């Protein structure tokens, strides 16, 4: 039996691979520091858990409409109206998905055919390219820096008549880069001119540091003619296992993504959606938590890194730090670090061609773990 050509091109998540080796080592009694998985170290607020439990008690266990409970879509619209001055019709311009991952799938699926291509600003989250490839399209990488500056000639060379979408993720996983207003405007203009769907993944938009400001696709005039915004509940609210994301955009695209939901998950998990309604109710508490717990972790990780001879890019947003390594084989380097020092992190190569020579750590971890992990990385660098 032949395996699908599209799927056989996909190697699987490097983070998951490192995680499974680390787990095996742990089961052999080794002391492992986990800095690989991109997950907040705090759980959802008790009020979110209670709302989810109440929904279960009230038998909210069946299918919901495929685009998600109306009250949740209305709450999302209100949240973005307050946050981004967004005017949108939650009846047909928002669809709830099973995680932001399925939101990206839906957005790419809605505009690509086999043989098309999608431009991904790079370094970039590991799953974008695999999503694109699994749908029979080609992933084309455009190198971008910490402000998402890119080479316009390089972009011109990447675009052809089969270019159907472009994915930008700010704040960025893995680098912590944030797109400037100027660069979002220029990408939007290029997408408008070439009839390319701009998919703006803004899942880390509540994690912003120092004086940096999040520039959303929502800020672009007539943005619905150009692109869609993807967001979700996994990161800000630490609801990774609830599997809830969403897309906001023009009703024409949302209708197609809703078809993807009908075809795949059917709908977001019913009782989880009730938890998400409560999450949006308690956003101010979540923001206090981020201010009091996550921001200090981000500031501390930088202080810790400065104690050693470790080169890194200061994250402007998100929950990761991008470390430079003295090797052009980040996969072997990460494996050797794990074997020798028991620190699990993600090799930069997994984040696309421009990720080589770097590794990613997630800093939303217990401080002691972070301190010990960085100490071991510092030692490893000093010894190698
Ligand atoms: C940039 C980015 N987008 C989307 C996702 C997927 O999130 P979800 O758990 O909602 O599927 C992740 C998860 O790591 C991410 O880093």
């Amino acid at each position: 039996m032949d395996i699908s050509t599209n799927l056989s091109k996909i190697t699987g998540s490097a983070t998951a691979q490192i995680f499974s080796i680390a787990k095996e080592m742990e089961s052999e009694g080794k002391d492992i520091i986990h800095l690989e998985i991109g997950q907040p170290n705090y759980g959802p607020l008790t009020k979110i858990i209670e709302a989810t439990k109440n929904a279960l008690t009230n038998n909210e266990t069946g299918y919901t409409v495929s685009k998600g409970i109306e009250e949740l879509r209305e709450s999302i619209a209100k949240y973005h109206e307050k946050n981004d001055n967004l005017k949108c019709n939650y009846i047909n311009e928002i669809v709830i998905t099973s995680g932001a991952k399925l939101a990206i799938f839906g957005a790419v699926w809605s505009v690509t055919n086999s043989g098309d291509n999608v431009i991904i600003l790079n370094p970039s989250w590991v799953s974008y390219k695999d999503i694109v490839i699994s749908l029979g399209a080609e992933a084309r990488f455009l190198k971008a820096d910490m402000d998402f500056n890119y080479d316009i000639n390089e972009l011109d060379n990447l675009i052809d008549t089969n270019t159907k979408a472009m994915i930008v993720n700010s704040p960025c996983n893995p680098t912590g880069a944030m797109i400037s207003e100027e660069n979002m405007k220029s990408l939007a203009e290029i997408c408008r001119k070439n009839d390319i769907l701009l998919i703006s993944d803004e899942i880390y938009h509540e994690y912003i540091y120092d004086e940096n400001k999040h520039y959303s696709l929502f800020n672009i005039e007539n943005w619905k003619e150009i692109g869609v915004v993807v967001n979700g509940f996994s990161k800000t609210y630490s609801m990774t296992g609830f599997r809830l994301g969403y897309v906001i955009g023009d009703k024409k695209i949302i209708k197609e993504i809703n078809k993807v939901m009908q075809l795949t998950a059917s709908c977001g998990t019913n009782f989880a959606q009730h938890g998400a309604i409560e999450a949006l109710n308690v956003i101010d508490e979540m923001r206090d938590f981020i201010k009091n717990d996550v921001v200090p972790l981000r500031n501390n990780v930088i202080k810790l890194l400065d104690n050693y001879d470790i080169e890194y890019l200061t994250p402007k947003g998100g929950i990761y730090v991008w470390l430079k390594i003295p090797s052009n084989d980040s996969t072997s380097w990460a494996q050797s670090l794990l074997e020798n020092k028991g620190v699990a992190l993600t090799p930069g190569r997994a984040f696309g061609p421009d990720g080589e020579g770097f590794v990613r750590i997630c800093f939303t971890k217990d401080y002691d773990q972070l301190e010990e992990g960085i100490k071991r990385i510092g030692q490893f660098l000093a010894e190698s």
Side-chain angles (χ1 to χ4, degrees):
M1 190 190 297
D2 288 338
I3 298 298
S4 143
T5 318
N6 294 338
L7 284 183
S8 53
K9 286 183 200 154
I10 291 166
T11 46
S13 156
T15 312
Q17 278 163 20
I18 287 280
F19 182 67
S20 95
I21 301 173
K23 280 284 166 198
E24 235 168 76
M25 289 172 70
E26 250 169 357
S27 67
E28 287 160 10
K30 303 233 166 68
D31 163 34
I32 304 292
I33 308 283
H34 289 276
L35 303 180
E36 75 280 42
I37 300 288
Q39 181 155 268
N41 59 334
Y42 52 91
L45 290 178
T46 312
K47 286 177 185 169
I48 300 174
I49 303 283
E50 286 306 319
T52 311
K53 278 192 200 160
N54 286 342
L56 271 167
T57 309
N58 294 333
N59 295 322
E60 302 288 1
T61 52
Y63 294 123
T64 71
V65 288
S66 53
K67 61 184 161 183
I69 297 172
E70 186 169 325
E71 193 187 341
L72 176 55
R73 282 181 284 120
E74 185 177 8
S75 300
I76 290 170
K78 281 195 181 137
Y79 163 82
H80 284 290
E81 182 175 6
K82 205 165 162 202
N83 207 48
D84 307 291
N85 218 3
L86 174 73
K87 299 274 171 285
C88 93
N89 181 351
Y90 62 85
I91 300 295
N92 55 15
E93 293 179 331
I94 300 182
V95 57
I96 309 296
T97 54
S98 299
K101 189 176 268 178
L102 199 48
I104 303 283
F105 252 109
V108 173
W109 206 334
S110 66
V111 291
T112 53
N113 292 304
S114 163
D116 286 337
N117 66 75
V118 174
I119 293 171
I120 302 171
L121 279 279
N122 194 247
S124 50
W125 181 43
V126 289
S127 296
Y128 296 140
K129 78 166 183 325
D130 289 345
I131 289 171
V132 169
I133 292 169
S134 72
L135 293 171
E138 182 196 342
R140 295 186 174 176
F141 295 104
L142 174 67
K143 187 176 180 178
D145 73 5
M146 288 298 278
D147 295 311
F148 281 85
N149 291 314
Y150 58 90
D151 180 342
I152 185 74
N153 295 323
E154 197 186 332
L155 179 56
D156 274 350
N157 288 335
L158 291 179
I159 295 177
D160 60 26
T161 49
N162 292 114
T163 306
K164 296 297 162 65
M166 182 186 288
I167 306 177
V168 60
N169 167 224
S170 173
C172 174
N173 170 9
T175 61
M178 284 179 60
I179 194 161
S180 64
E181 176 175 348
E182 192 191 348
N183 286 331
M184 182 65 102
K185 282 184 171 158
S186 75
L187 289 179
E189 207 33 56
I190 289 164
C191 287
R192 183 198 296 281
K193 225 172 62 196
N194 292 282
D195 208 14
I196 293 169
L197 182 76
L198 182 54
I199 302 169
S200 183
D201 179 349
E202 304 186 7
I203 197 163
Y204 294 102
H205 81 299
E206 289 283 355
Y207 300 100
I208 311 290
Y209 310 112
D210 304 330
E211 306 307 314
N212 296 295
K213 296 246 174 321
H214 173 60
Y215 194 83
S216 169
L217 176 65
F218 291 140
N219 300 123
I220 300 280
E221 220 184 312
N222 298 327
W223 66 273
K224 279 181 218 165
E225 292 169 8
I226 306 163
V228 292
V229 172
V230 167
N231 213 314
F233 293 88
S234 285
K235 309 294 170 172
T236 305
Y237 309 95
S238 192
M239 292 165 66
T240 45
F242 284 58
R243 306 310 304 130
L244 288 177
Y246 56 92
V247 191
I248 308 182
D250 187 85
K251 64 177 191 236
K252 189 173 145 202
I253 295 286
I254 296 303
K255 188 174 158 207
E256 298 309 310
I257 301 174
N258 188 23
K259 275 193 210 162
V260 170
M261 274 306 288
Q262 287 170 1
L263 194 62
T264 54
S266 298
C267 60
T269 305
N270 188 337
F271 44 88
Q273 291 189 56
H274 288 273
I277 294 169
E278 182 60 12
L280 292 164
N281 287 337
V282 297
I283 180 63
D284 288 338
E285 284 174 53
M286 253 0 287
R287 284 183 178 141
D288 283 345
F289 186 84
I290 289 175
K291 195 167 120 201
N292 297 325
D293 288 71
V294 180
V295 174
L297 270 179
R298 179 273 193 177
N299 294 340
N300 281 329
V301 80
I302 286 170
K303 279 193 205 137
L304 288 169
L305 288 164
D306 285 341
N307 288 336
Y308 302 92
D309 195 11
I310 306 177
E311 251 187 88
Y312 64 92
L313 300 183
T314 304
K316 298 178 178 196
I319 57 173
Y320 309 97
V321 192
W322 195 228
L323 310 183
K324 181 129 190 52
I325 55 165
S327 163
N328 274 329
D329 182 354
S330 53
T331 309
S332 304
W333 193 90
Q335 262 167 19
S336 175
L337 174 74
L338 180 58
E339 279 157 22
N340 289 293
K341 296 288 175 190
V343 178
L345 42 64
T346 315
R349 185 66 187 82
F351 301 93
D354 303 303
E356 193 48 284
F358 289 83
V359 291
R360 185 199 76 176
I361 61 171
C362 174
F363 63 76
T364 46
K365 307 284 167 193
D366 293 342
Y367 181 79
D368 291 350
Q369 291 282 297
L370 212 49
E371 188 179 31
E372 178 63 22
I374 288 171
K375 186 176 106 191
R376 292 188 197 178
I377 296 171
Q379 284 170 350
F380 185 69
L381 280 166
E383 289 162 14
S384 51

